[in-house]
Amino acid sequence: MDIFRIEGPVRLSGSVKVKGSKNAALPIMAAMLLAPGKSTLKSVPYLSDITVCSELLNSLGCKVAREQNGDITIDSTDVNNPVGDYEIVRKMRASICILGPLLARCRKAQVSMPGGCAIGDRPVDIHLRGLRELGAQISIKNGYIVAEAPNGLTGSEIFLGGPFGSTVLGTANVLSAAVLAKGSTIIESAACEPEITDLANCLTKMGAKIKGIGSPHLYIEGVNELYPLEYQVIADRIEAGTFMAAAAITRGELKIENCRLVDLMAVVDKLRNVGVTVESADHGCVVTHKGTIKTADITTQPYPGFPTDLQAQFMALLALGDGNSVIIEKIFPDRYMHVAELNRMAANLRKEGPVVIIAGVEKLMAAPVMASDLRASAALVLAAMAAEGTTIVNRVYHIDRGYEKIEERLNPLGAKIVRENV
Ligand code: EPU
């Protein structure tokens, strides 16, 4: 198992390029099931989650390959085994995003029910409700979601809101199924995250008829077939936001290339509030920070609000704030496994239900810590780069799920991160 040995404090400076978005790539890869033939996806990052998704699509009958130029090709001419096996799905919850496309393509699908994870229970009831509205019969048998629509799916009016807002992958599933349903579908309270916009743009390029892209109201006119395509996945806004927080916490100066500031306005706003300079530059931005971090209150919300996927990284930053800050997690109220680990590094954080009260400290100190999930591990890496001493981050396989070779990209900027296999 790999660990990171991280020496701090360091000051990051230089230029870093953001990779393609994992969370856009996963539902787009699944959507390739809808168009028999060979499609090519560009800017798909080299991540373990992408490898699992490729394994999953191969198990259904597709042929997925990483070409020498880095493109991913997916040949979905033969989808002959519409079963998302437990052994693959258990490695990655996002595997659920094959359910809608498989059902639309094969009129039946069995997908292992994803369990909870370190960030919470993560139910899929809204996904199933939406697919039932399209006419699917769905039951749960032996841990599998068994879905059938022997006569095909039929357009409908569907509300996708839930207790914590809409659902990103639920919207991906229902949208990807509705594009091949008979007649028209209205999705109300659709997720508006840029990753869903990217999926909808991709489906449109495949021949789907979708209006309202980027809004919570999607209007879909079902078509008989979709066509393979070549498509470039958007830049990863969460990786970009993580680099922004890295520049701030190390009092550094980073040019972040391939980053769409328009997808990150809530994050840029918070950075500016705490005294960090963010200036737009060609296809990206420059983030600079000197001096103290001011306090801030952050509430995570669906897009365009502050993303839950940057909550942990900003907690690490505010841990060094010059007073008290508050974070309220409104998407995954239990997504706080990093709190105890940051406290091991001399942060002063107190969790009260979905709220964390942060009493800023002057400095963080190195400690051995445990990565619990993808974004929590990014927060620990940020904290370690600012902390005094050598931090050991255990279980870095979590970070490899969402950040491509993070140490090889941070070290040229001044970080001192060594990966060791123990
Ligand atoms: N929810 C339900 N019922 C459902 C689905 C969701 O109650 O059927 C609840 C969830 O429990 C949560 C809220 O709705 O409280 C939002 O969850 P959502 O379904 O939007 O999450 P997701 O689609 O499973 C994606 C990202 C997550 C990101 C969330 C929120 C991918 C592969 N995953 O998950 O990314 O945190 O949206 O933005 O796109 C990550 O990259 O580290 C990550 C966890």
Side-chain angles (χ1 to χ4, degrees):
M1 198 176 290
D2 286 1
I3 63 161
F4 278 161
R5 188 179 292 278
I6 305 178
E7 242 183 84
V10 296
R11 177 179 182 274
L12 297 187
S13 73
S15 189
V16 62
K17 190 167 177 190
V18 175
K19 303 281 179 184
S21 162
K22 163 183 87 80
N23 288 351
L26 293 171
I28 287 176
M29 287 175 75
M32 296 306 118
L33 289 165
L34 297 166
K38 190 169 174 178
S39 291
T40 301
L41 299 178
K42 295 181 167 294
S43 298
V44 178
Y46 286 79
L47 298 171
S48 53
D49 273 11
I50 298 294
T51 309
V52 173
C53 188
S54 304
E55 192 188 339
L56 182 63
L57 291 175
N58 280 332
S59 75
L60 307 175
C62 299
K63 294 186 184 71
V64 183
R66 178 74 83 166
E67 304 298 328
Q68 271 187 342
N69 64 3
D71 293 352
I72 290 232
T73 54
I74 301 176
D75 184 343
S76 60
T77 307
D78 299 313
V79 177
N80 46 30
N81 178 39
V83 180
D85 192 83
Y86 172 71
E87 288 307 323
I88 304 178
V89 176
R90 74 185 176 86
K91 295 185 202 163
M92 182 183 72
R93 303 190 74 265
S95 304
I96 187 70
C97 64
I98 61 170
L99 181 61
L102 261 189
L103 188 56
R105 166 83 186 260
C106 305
R107 299 188 169 191
K108 60 181 180 181
Q110 282 186 40
V111 179
S112 176
M113 183 90 164
C117 70
I119 70 178
D121 295 346
R122 308 194 66 184
V124 291
D125 55 315
I126 308 174
H127 301 230
L128 305 190
R129 196 173 77 206
L131 295 172
R132 283 192 178 110
E133 287 286 347
L134 291 173
Q137 290 147 22
I138 301 183
S139 55
I140 308 295
K141 285 190 192 134
N142 305 115
Y144 278 74
I145 301 162
V146 181
E148 283 175 345
N151 301 317
L153 299 167
T154 311
S156 183
E157 289 172 17
I158 302 169
F159 177 70
L160 283 187
F164 300 97
S166 190
T167 156
V168 175
L169 289 179
T171 302
N173 259 329
V174 176
L175 172 64
S176 301
V179 288
L180 283 182
K182 281 185 221 99
S184 53
T185 296
I186 297 177
I187 303 180
E188 196 55 63
S189 196
C192 303
E193 271 67 8
E195 294 76 18
I196 293 299
T197 298
D198 204 31
L199 169 67
N201 287 336
C202 176
L203 289 168
T204 303
K205 216 174 158 197
M206 292 163 79
K209 293 197 175 137
I210 307 169
K211 285 191 184 149
I213 294 175
S215 84
H217 328 283
L218 295 176
Y219 307 89
I220 301 135
E221 197 55 53
V223 294
N224 290 332
E225 54 185 339
L226 296 175
Y227 307 98
L229 84 171
E230 187 175 297
Y231 192 76
Q232 169 113 26
V233 173
I234 52 165
D236 194 318
R237 66 190 167 107
I238 304 301
E239 184 176 272
T242 304
F243 288 137
M244 289 176 174
I249 202 170
T250 64
R251 270 83 165 159
E253 174 164 359
L254 286 186
K255 177 161 192 223
I256 301 169
E257 294 171 51
N258 191 30
C259 143
R260 303 199 310 182
L261 274 194
V262 52
D263 292 343
L264 280 159
M265 288 321 290
V267 176
V268 171
D269 183 58
K270 282 300 164 201
L271 283 169
R272 288 180 176 151
N273 286 349
V274 301
V276 176
T277 306
V278 183
E279 288 163 324
S280 67
D282 267 0
H283 307 294
C285 62
V286 177
V287 180
T288 319
H289 187 58
K290 290 192 183 97
T292 55
I293 306 279
K294 293 188 202 145
T295 60
D297 293 344
I298 294 179
T299 302
T300 63
Q301 285 172 326
Y303 186 83
F306 191 94
T308 173
D309 290 345
L310 286 170
Q311 176 256 108
Q313 299 88 318
F314 273 67
M315 187 178 293
L317 178 64
L318 294 175
L320 287 167
D322 66 357
N324 294 337
S325 299
V326 173
I327 290 186
I328 307 177
E329 177 51 73
K330 289 232 170 142
I331 307 291
F332 296 114
D334 295 327
R335 193 176 200 174
Y336 281 136
M337 300 282 278
H338 43 283
V339 168
E341 300 305 300
L342 288 171
N343 279 342
R344 301 196 73 253
M345 299 181 73
N348 187 354
L349 316 175
R350 189 158 56 88
K351 177 175 157 343
E352 295 279 348
V355 177
V356 170
I357 299 146
I358 304 166
V361 294
E362 236 167 70
K363 59 182 180 186
L364 294 171
M365 279 188 281
V369 286
M370 194 68 82
S372 55
D373 74 81
L374 169 54
R375 309 301 170 188
S377 44
L380 296 177
V381 171
L382 298 191
M385 288 191 295
E388 268 178 25
T390 305
T391 296
I392 306 291
V393 181
N394 290 288
R395 299 194 182 161
V396 298
Y397 60 84
H398 285 293
I399 205 162
D400 293 333
R401 288 188 38 227
Y403 297 88
E404 187 180 318
K405 297 190 179 136
I406 190 75
E407 74 281 21
E408 289 181 19
R409 293 159 72 209
L410 290 174
N411 284 344
L413 306 172
K416 295 177 184 162
I417 307 176
V418 178
R419 183 186 288 262
E420 285 175 14
N421 189 264
V422 293

